[in-house]
Amino acid sequence: MTCFDELTLSIYGDGELPPGEAQLVHSHLALCESCRARVAALRTESLSLGATLREVAYELPAREAASPIWVFLAVAAAALVGVAVSLDALRQLAFVPEWLGLDPLDPVVTLAFLFLDSGLTRLQEGVPSMPPMLPILVMVLLAFGALRLVRGRAAAMALLLASLATAAQATEVRFPAKGSNTVVIGPGETVDDTLLAAGDTIVIRGRIEGDLIALGRETRVEGEVAGSVHCLAKRLEITGTVQGDVYTMNETLSLRGRVKRSAHAMTQNTELEAAATVERDLFALAREVRVAGNLGRRLSASTQFAEITGTVGGKAEVNAERIHLSDSARIAGDLRANLPTKESASIGTGARIEGQTHIDSHQVHGPRNEVRRFLDPSFYLWQSLWLAAALLCGSLLRWFAPVLLEERPTSLLHTAGVGFIALVVTPVAVVLAGLTVVGLPSALLVLGGWTAALYLAGILVSAWIGRRLLRRETNDTQTFLLALLVGQVVLRVVKPLPWLGSLAGFAVLVLGLGLAVAAGQAALARVRGLR
Amino acid sequence: MSTENEGPEPAVIDEARRRVFGLCRLLLGSVEEAEDATNEVFVRAQRSLDSYDRSAPFVPWALAIARNHCLDTLRRRRIENRLFVPETDDEAPYASPAPSPLGELMGKEERARVREALDSLPERSRIALVLRYFEESDYAAIGLALGLTSQGVGTLLFRAKRQLRERVALLESGGLA
């Protein structure tokens, strides 16, 4: 029994063999397993080909490279400036309306301030040097543009180098000299730009005209910083003057000098010592907070133990396990404390609280607090705002880099696994790379990308959820936005739930990061392969 | 259905336009050309409306005009374009994969690859594939359009499918020259 050749089987599969031959083949197929399989495969192929041709014929052309990069840059820049202006305006207010529900300890809000506020301060005060974060942002956008507009690797390389150059301009970088591990700005020295210092020990005795970005184990500001201080260190001590704000993540923050604006601290210990002043607000996420000095406006703390022995010029809001106000304490506004029990507050008899005192204890009011949150109009306001932001972000992403949204997770577990690794390994890798001085710029870039990916994870997963629920492909913008909306609503409803919410949040993060990684790989493959 | 003097209803015309565009898109290989061709086809249809038998369905008639127009266009393009690399229906240097790459469910990525592979095929191969698997014409009709015998059509289709498989596989592995 000899099998028929591929050509004959193909014609047979199309049903176009003359009757005599067709009968021969038909009889053969009854006996031959492999020929039966081949004919079946050919028929499947024909059907699939037909379906694909129909889809190709009627599909709307994808919006490929139609978007001019400069329009996008202009829109992004305008949006950034707009947000920065509003955020800064809000902070200038002596009070923030309660219904707005601005939670200063929300890490996203803090990060937003970190990126935008210092930049705007420069613009406002007319200092000619460029705000530190703006060049980095420009750099990232240019890098994106390079990937998108690739018509040749040479052009892409040139764009990437140009983007790195812009970032390098506005910032002076200092690393420890050979043989030492200390960066010192001497007493008479002035740094005209923003200073990025990295090393084991950083001591500023002179003057910095821009911001100070310090990465090190021990950082001491004894001199003057005209801008803000951004610090990632084990210990930050400020004995001098900071004209701007302080944003820091430490083990110990020791404020002994003067901070002319606000201090935002994520630390184990935050101390505002007796002779020290913070002219505006103190936001602290810490294990212990001690305010012995002079705080101009508001104290907002989430901590285990809070002690106030000095002056708080505005209101004091504290989430703590224990709070202690000594006799010398003075609070010009309200005291709102959220404690485990009413007894956890020890308020000295000499303490003066000029506003009202509200002490809520979790035990009694626990469940009601949760419900109260949903009765608060600000909750819905912010949810809608974040929803709108996600939709805007999704559309921008789809317009600018649609390839990033095309990934379909084939194996959920695999995608989640990749995402988990990306979630955990990246910060470690970033820190390690940052320690080797050479790796610092790449580390910062990767950190920025990772942070962006954390936000994008939500968008990617909600688009996926929406797509699944609607059972539709998102070929056009309307369907995509609908899918995104559906997915976002689902996520936002699930997130506030007590146990399910946290689990879902983690799953979204991990899955989304996995999708982002896969999308990045696909984008790279496309850039490299199909040109 | 159609009224005496006014021609087919708008809904029918829309459907015809859509189908004509689809056919032109596949045969001519690009959206822009398909748009031009569709307009041209409807201009011709307008002109020949007198000779159109009202009792016959409008869409297949329009599609027939479209098919002829596309084939004419392709022939003209071939003649005008001396720099065109001569089409080869030759044996391909690569071992042909079994019919599996095209047989699986298509995601957006794979569809894009098929689209690109299709547009890059030699014209006759592409025409044959489109007429058979999109238009569902039989070998006789395809033979008439391309000037081939039924057997010739079978061979052309067989080779065309193989070429398409190869190009899709090539695109999958990362690049078309």
Side-chain angles (χ1 to χ4, degrees):
Chain A
M1 170 177 80
T2 44
C3 292
F4 290 89
D5 61 299
E6 287 286 337
L7 174 58
T8 309
L9 289 182
S10 169
I11 302 178
Y12 176 82
D14 282 351
E16 295 269 357
L17 269 185
E21 287 187 58
Q23 186 54 45
L24 282 174
V25 175
H26 185 75
S27 315
H28 175 81
L29 286 185
L31 305 167
C32 178
E33 170 84 44
S34 84
C35 283
R36 258 203 312 277
R38 283 171 33 219
V39 168
L42 281 165
R43 286 208 171 119
T44 310
E45 182 187 52
S46 304
L47 285 172
S48 174
L49 185 54
T52 306
L53 284 176
R54 276 188 290 280
E55 289 181 60
V56 172
Y58 302 125
E59 96 188 327
L60 295 165
R63 305 241 7 221
E64 275 296 342
S67 2
I69 177 82
W70 48 89
V71 172
F72 175 75
L73 280 179
V75 169
L80 279 173
V81 172
V83 174
V85 169
S86 350
L87 279 177
D88 200 65
L90 273 177
R91 294 198 358 151
Q92 305 282 14
L93 294 174
F95 68 96
V96 174
E98 284 294 332
W99 57 264
L100 201 56
L102 254 188
D103 182 0
L105 296 174
D106 189 311
V108 178
V109 175
T110 309
L111 270 175
F113 278 117
L114 194 78
F115 268 93
L116 299 167
D117 184 65
S118 62
L120 192 65
T121 316
R122 293 293 133 265
L123 289 170
Q124 281 182 334
E125 291 164 11
V127 174
S129 64
M130 276 173 80
M133 294 305 162
L134 203 53
I136 297 185
L137 270 156
V138 170
M139 177 181 86
V140 171
L141 288 172
L142 278 176
F144 250 116
L147 281 177
R148 189 88 180 83
L149 295 177
V150 160
R151 287 275 172 260
R153 299 212 190 114
M157 240 12 226
L159 255 179
L160 275 169
L161 286 174
S163 63
L164 284 172
T166 55
Q169 263 181 31
T171 314
E172 179 164 336
V173 181
R174 290 276 181 103
F175 295 114
K178 233 188 216 160
S180 104
N181 47 19
T182 310
V183 174
V184 180
I185 307 289
E189 214 181 322
T190 305
V191 176
D192 271 320
D193 275 322
T194 293
L195 177 68
L196 171 68
D200 188 80
T201 309
I202 301 166
V203 184
I204 313 290
R205 297 201 180 104
R207 187 183 161 79
I208 299 177
E209 287 294 347
D211 297 334
L212 168 66
I213 304 174
L215 303 164
R217 205 175 45 87
E218 167 135 355
T219 305
R220 297 207 296 271
V221 177
E222 297 170 12
E224 183 163 338
V225 176
S228 300
V229 172
H230 305 264
C231 179
L232 197 69
K234 203 162 158 193
R235 188 187 148 79
L236 171 64
E237 182 185 286
I238 299 183
T239 38
T241 308
V242 176
Q243 307 260 11
D245 304 273
V246 173
Y247 299 94
T248 178
M249 222 153 87
N250 315 108
E251 210 181 71
T252 309
L253 169 64
S254 181
L255 293 166
R256 291 190 184 153
R258 193 181 187 91
V259 176
K260 288 232 165 133
R261 286 166 58 117
S262 302
H264 304 247
M266 205 145 57
T267 69
Q268 277 197 20
N269 294 316
T270 298
E271 286 189 34
L272 177 63
E273 301 201 10
T277 309
V278 171
E279 289 185 21
R280 288 208 198 157
D281 313 301
L282 172 63
F283 301 116
L285 203 67
R287 214 168 53 175
E288 291 190 10
V289 175
R290 293 170 206 274
V291 178
N294 217 313
L295 183 56
R297 266 179 9 189
R298 170 183 176 191
L299 169 68
S300 240
S302 196
T303 164
Q304 274 188 17
F305 174 61
E307 179 183 80
I308 305 179
T309 48
T311 311
V312 176
K315 66 174 162 216
E317 297 168 328
V318 179
N319 255 347
E321 289 185 23
R322 276 188 313 127
I323 176 174
H324 172 69
L325 268 70
S326 75
D327 290 340
S328 52
R330 191 170 157 264
I331 300 179
D334 296 343
L335 168 66
R336 281 179 188 276
N338 207 331
L339 303 162
T341 66
K342 279 194 147 64
E343 288 70 42
S344 318
S346 99
I347 304 184
T349 44
R352 283 170 53 200
I353 302 171
E354 295 180 19
Q356 300 181 330
T357 307
H358 301 271
I359 305 205
D360 296 320
S361 58
H362 317 308
Q363 282 175 358
V364 180
H365 295 292
R368 253 211 272 163
N369 261 341
E370 271 306 303
V371 175
R372 196 179 302 158
R373 186 173 162 211
F374 294 105
L375 295 177
D376 189 353
S378 76
F379 173 71
Y380 296 101
L381 173 70
W382 279 100
Q383 284 297 322
S384 330
L385 277 177
W386 281 118
L387 185 66
L391 288 177
L392 180 66
C393 201
S395 335
L396 273 178
L397 202 62
R398 187 166 191 278
W399 180 57
F400 182 50
V403 67
L404 287 179
L405 290 166
E406 279 173 14
E407 277 307 307
R408 304 281 177 270
T410 39
S411 156
L412 276 185
L413 214 56
H414 174 76
T415 311
V418 170
F420 180 70
I421 293 176
L423 179 69
V424 167
V425 166
T426 313
V428 174
V430 160
V431 168
L432 286 177
L435 287 178
T436 81
V437 155
V438 175
L440 189 62
S442 329
L444 287 176
L445 192 59
V446 168
L447 188 65
W450 181 75
T451 321
L454 290 180
Y455 177 66
L456 283 180
I459 305 236
L460 291 177
V461 173
S462 35
W464 177 70
I465 291 179
R467 223 181 272 124
R468 288 292 291 263
L469 284 178
L470 291 177
R471 294 175 185 283
R472 274 202 268 168
E473 268 308 318
T474 53
N475 282 329
D476 60 301
T477 315
Q478 265 185 323
T479 324
F480 171 75
L481 280 180
L482 184 64
L484 190 58
L485 181 68
V486 167
Q488 279 281 312
V489 167
V490 166
L491 283 184
R492 282 173 197 287
V493 164
V494 170
K495 259 212 220 156
L497 299 176
W499 288 103
L500 195 61
S502 321
L503 200 63
F506 177 70
V508 165
L509 207 56
V510 158
L511 200 60
L513 267 184
L515 281 176
V517 167
Q521 286 178 325
L524 271 177
R526 182 174 289 199
V527 160
R528 219 181 280 134
L530 287 180
R531 274 286 157 245
Chain B
M1 294 284 90
S2 55
T3 28
E4 277 304 330
N5 302 322
E6 293 171 19
E9 288 178 73
V12 175
I13 295 191
D14 282 348
E15 173 66 12
R17 214 182 169 83
R18 195 182 81 96
R19 297 276 298 269
V20 164
F21 176 85
L23 180 62
C24 296
R25 161 66 189 90
L26 289 174
L27 286 176
L28 298 176
S30 85
V31 169
E32 292 79 27
E33 292 190 67
E35 281 168 355
D36 290 344
T38 308
N39 292 330
E40 181 66 32
V41 164
F42 275 81
V43 164
R44 290 191 186 184
Q46 185 66 33
R47 257 186 256 141
S48 328
L49 213 51
D50 304 325
S51 62
Y52 162 54
D53 179 12
R54 298 300 165 90
S55 59
F58 179 75
V59 173
W61 179 70
L63 282 174
I65 299 179
R67 181 210 291 195
N68 292 332
H69 175 73
C70 288
L71 292 179
D72 288 341
T73 308
L74 288 171
R75 202 176 301 129
R76 221 181 313 125
R77 198 205 282 172
R78 224 179 11 244
I79 296 171
E80 284 167 359
N81 202 341
R82 299 298 165 106
L83 298 172
F84 219 69
V85 175
E87 298 161 13
T88 44
D89 289 333
D90 289 346
E91 301 300 302
Y94 308 94
S96 169
S100 41
L102 296 177
E104 281 152 17
L105 279 172
M106 296 274 176
K108 198 167 182 180
E109 269 291 326
E110 292 108 295
R111 196 160 64 238
R113 281 195 279 267
V114 172
R115 183 185 355 118
E116 190 160 334
L118 189 73
D119 291 342
S120 75
L121 280 179
E123 257 168 33
R124 280 158 74 82
S125 305
R126 185 168 73 237
I127 295 172
L129 284 177
V130 171
L131 290 182
R132 172 71 201 177
Y133 296 105
F134 176 73
E135 278 285 283
E136 294 171 20
S137 307
D138 60 352
Y139 280 21
I142 300 177
L144 269 176
L146 290 177
L148 290 172
T149 62
S150 196
Q151 178 71 16
V153 172
T155 312
L156 178 60
L157 275 172
F158 171 70
R159 290 215 190 113
K161 279 191 278 187
R162 188 173 58 189
Q163 284 166 339
L164 187 64
R165 279 184 229 133
E166 277 158 7
R167 290 186 191 216
V168 169
L170 208 60
L171 283 171
E172 247 169 27
S173 64
L176 202 58

